Amino acid sequence: MHAIRWWGFILLSALALQVHAAEPRWDGLASDWLEGFHLGGYSSVEANLHPGGRAEASLEELSLLISWSGDSRWKFFSEIEIEQPVRWESGKGLTDQDSVLDVERLYFDYNINETFNLRAGRYLTPVGRWNLIHAAPLVWTTTRPLATRELFPVALNGLMLFGAVPFETRVLEYTVFAEALKDQQVDRDELEYRNTAGGRLNLTGRTEFGLSALEFNESTAGNQRYRLMGVDFLSRYGGWEISGELFQRWLTSGGDGGSGGYLQAVAPIAPRWFAVGRLENYKRAGDGSSDRWLIGAAWKVAPSRIVKFEYVGGDEERPDSPKGLLASFAILF
């Protein structure tokens, strides 16, 4: 995606709001059509004091969510985001040169019947849990586990068949997907993936279990093809939450292709306050290995607002895996 100044996003948001507020016309037909539109978004600010004393802070993202659902079988959803519109670093000052416009999601859904739905467009790759709910107001920590973004493509342009079927007292959710159009431009420091296809099963309940599988080509190391298997779970009880994901990759030609995962626990410690702890591991050929531990706290100011504090330790710091003391505030609107 192209680099862009953050004011472009604000202009886009203003135009969308103008459309939403349009006056009824054509005997109310336009008004009825516009009633199906919903606007929202989220944003977060983040600060990081690194172990060596270097400090940085940023407006981490501005995301606009636009959805539409009418009386027909069709639905539409989009998420357009500017990453790091403004960033500050000690000794360097403020800059907006790192800002990037990213179309994270833009797709149409068509409801075939009670069991089958078809999706076409750009969507988050349904692998594990974190990748599908990674928005800052919806997760407990400022930092994201490396294994959830470095082992597989985080988004695809393609087709998806999804739905749910009853399974005893639970529901079994399924997803089958395939890439149809490669990204036309790759963001900075982003790995390129091609020819991706796979599926996911998720069993709901007090404890949820997920199984993911996919196959893809990666641009590194001669465009080799990989297979990936992932298992995940989420359990909630009495305000506690325990979750985890584990991934293993193999080269289709044989050999280890990397692995990673995390285990995270959340415990209530006071009204609207929660303690958070996480252990994680990530390794792959040519990228080394990384072990991380995290301990922190989260304050749920309101269902749509959260303040997070955490300290991240472990192996040597990486650009895509910060260490030190971090704090952030995220809001969903």
Side-chain angles (χ1 to χ4, degrees), residues 321-332:
S321 181
K323 291 177 57 178
L325 182 64
L326 295 101
S328 65
F329 170 71
I331 182 170
L332 183 70

Side-chain angles (χ1 to χ4, degrees), residues 105-118:
R105 290 180 280 180
L106 197 158
Y107 57 77
F108 287 91
D109 285 347
Y110 180 73
N111 173 238
I112 301 172
N113 54 40
E114 294 182 356
T115 306
F116 299 101
N117 300 271
L118 183 64

Side-chain angles (χ1 to χ4, degrees), residues 41-261:
Y42 63 92
S43 184
S44 67
V45 292
E46 177 182 322
N48 184 190
L49 179 61
H50 297 267
R54 179 172 62 90
E56 59 182 331
S58 62
L59 176 57
E60 195 62 16
E61 74 263 307
L62 285 170
S63 289
L64 175 67
L65 307 176
I66 305 175
S67 63
W68 175 82
S69 59
D71 295 331
S72 70
R73 295 175 180 267
W74 290 94
K75 293 183 179 181
F76 169 78
F77 183 86
S78 70
E79 179 182 353
I80 303 173
E81 176 177 295
I82 285 194
E83 301 175 2
Q84 291 196 343
V86 180
R87 181 173 174 271
W88 172 87
E89 185 174 349
S90 55
K92 296 182 179 180
L94 282 172
T95 180
D96 65 352
Q97 298 301 311
D98 295 327
S99 62
V100 173
L101 178 66
D102 188 14
V103 180
E104 289 216 341
R105 290 180 280 180
L106 197 158
Y107 57 77
F108 287 91
D109 285 347
Y110 180 73
N111 173 238
I112 301 172
N113 54 40
E114 294 182 356
T115 306
F116 299 101
N117 300 271
L118 183 64
R119 177 169 296 172
R122 182 168 180 81
Y123 49 82
L124 297 174
T125 310
V127 177
R129 298 184 178 276
W130 198 290
N131 196 52
L132 296 173
I133 60 164
H134 67 275
L138 305 180
V139 295
W140 290 105
T141 62
T142 300
T143 54
R144 174 173 176 164
L146 265 174
T148 67
R149 68 180 179 190
E150 299 291 347
L151 291 173
F152 55 84
V154 298
L156 295 174
N157 306 315
L159 299 174
M160 175 193 296
L161 185 68
F162 67 98
V165 294
F167 183 80
E168 297 180 349
T169 60
R170 300 184 176 188
V171 174
L172 181 64
E173 301 169 337
Y174 74 88
T175 306
V176 180
F177 55 91
E179 182 182 26
L181 179 67
K182 69 179 183 179
D183 284 349
Q184 300 305 297
Q185 185 166 335
V186 180
D187 292 343
R188 62 179 185 271
D189 302 324
E190 181 183 359
L191 291 171
E192 293 186 64
Y193 298 94
R194 297 287 183 266
N195 308 314
T196 303
R200 172 172 168 78
L201 296 174
N202 183 61
L203 186 62
T204 65
R206 175 178 289 180
T207 298
E208 297 188 10
F209 297 96
L211 175 66
S212 306
L214 68 161
E215 191 170 305
F216 51 85
N217 290 85
E218 186 179 275
S219 61
T220 59
N223 196 37
Q224 296 190 80
R225 192 155 182 82
Y226 293 87
R227 292 191 180 99
L228 179 143
M229 292 290 295
V231 293
D232 58 83
F233 78 96
L234 171 65
S235 182
R236 296 189 179 99
Y237 184 77
W240 286 71
E241 179 181 299
I242 301 177
S243 61
E245 300 182 44
L246 180 64
F247 304 102
Q248 177 65 57
R249 302 198 320 178
W250 298 271
L251 287 162
T252 56
S253 59
D256 180 36
S259 62

